[in-house]
Amino acid sequence: MPHAAAREMRSPILSIHPYVPAVEQQGDVICSMASRGDCDHKLVAEVRPEFSDGTSPRWRVCGEWLTSHPSAIAHITTNGFQEPAVP
């Protein structure tokens, strides 16, 4: 499992926006947390961390990462999900 060894993120998560419904990975639309071809799960959410320079990229993530990563679990437990995103 490519996401099983998830480490704590260096940047805090500002928000997690679910994709309703989940979307297939294809072309350049891949899980941001895996190397190309290392993840074949559906994308379920957009995660927006805040970098130290103030930027907030949009990372597409699969359910495997979202339900196994300590930072994501902590954010969901504390803040829940934000409004759905359009992939």
Side-chain angles (χ1 to χ4, degrees), residues 4-28:
R7 295 185 314 222
E8 196 65 22
M9 293 177 65
R10 293 183 189 183
S11 302
I13 293 175
L14 293 178
S15 60
I16 298 177
H17 303 265
Y19 291 148
V20 180
V23 296
E24 296 288 341
Q25 295 188 50
Q26 57 183 327
D28 288 335

Side-chain angles (χ1 to χ4, degrees), residues 12-65:
I13 293 175
L14 293 178
S15 60
I16 298 177
H17 303 265
Y19 291 148
V20 180
V23 296
E24 296 288 341
Q25 295 188 50
Q26 57 183 327
D28 288 335
V29 180
I30 62 170
C31 183
S32 299
M33 301 303 156
S35 298
R36 185 172 294 279
D38 283 349
C39 178
D40 60 2
H41 303 286
K42 286 186 176 186
L43 299 172
V44 298
E46 181 177 282
V47 173
R48 299 177 188 170
E50 182 177 34
F51 289 169
S52 59
D53 66 1
T55 60
S56 182
R58 296 176 182 215
W59 292 343
R60 298 178 183 110
V61 299
C62 70
E64 162 94 15
W65 184 87

